[in-house]
Amino acid sequence: MTALTPDTVRAATETLSRLTEYLRDSPAPEEAIALVEPLLDEYTGLPVQLADTLRALARVVQSHPSTPRTEQTGLLVTELRAAAWEQADQHTLHYVLDGLRALYNTGTTAEPGC
């Protein structure tokens, strides 16, 4: 595995920013769904990956020998783990995409104002 740097991680967030800007330009819904789909994959999407990353960070901080063993450290690690659980709970967003995909595959559209 190649070494990660803050710049390589920043490139990922910049890609997300570009996607957001693109979606604000109102592409076709089918295209928008296709672009967002990898982000919300049930097993490898952002909610799952971010949850895993937060748990890994908590583990690194807690297990590193130079980390101060204070109440504050414990609270910060607990916050990371709680945030990880909250992110993991969002993994079900792939069901929303399934519903949207079905909506556009059947040709069902809502009347304006509904």
Side-chain angles (χ1 to χ4, degrees):
M1 180 161 114
T2 61
L4 288 174
T5 67
D7 286 338
T8 57
V9 175
R10 197 170 291 112
T13 61
E14 288 171 7
T15 299
L16 283 174
S17 293
R18 288 180 49 220
L19 173 60
T20 301
E21 289 300 317
Y22 182 77
L23 293 175
R24 287 181 179 148
D25 288 338
S26 301
E30 297 87 353
E31 181 183 8
I33 291 166
L35 289 171
V36 172
E37 188 171 15
L39 300 177
L40 297 180
D41 182 83
E42 180 177 10
Y43 302 106
T44 60
L46 278 180
V48 173
Q49 294 295 327
L50 184 55
D52 287 347
T53 300
L54 292 172
R55 279 191 287 272
L57 176 59
R59 189 170 32 258
V60 165
V61 168
Q62 188 173 40
S63 66
H64 198 275
S66 69
T67 300
R69 306 294 177 215
T70 64
E71 183 178 340
Q72 178 67 17
T73 301
L75 291 172
L76 293 170
V77 168
T78 299
E79 282 189 49
L80 284 172
R81 289 187 174 136
W85 277 109
E86 290 173 18
Q87 288 301 312
D89 285 345
Q90 299 301 314
H91 81 280
T92 58
L93 285 170
H94 71 277
Y95 292 123
V96 173
L97 283 183
D98 291 344
L100 289 171
R101 203 176 304 103
L103 178 72
Y104 284 98
N105 285 339
T106 61
T108 305
T109 58
E111 293 294 322
C114 290

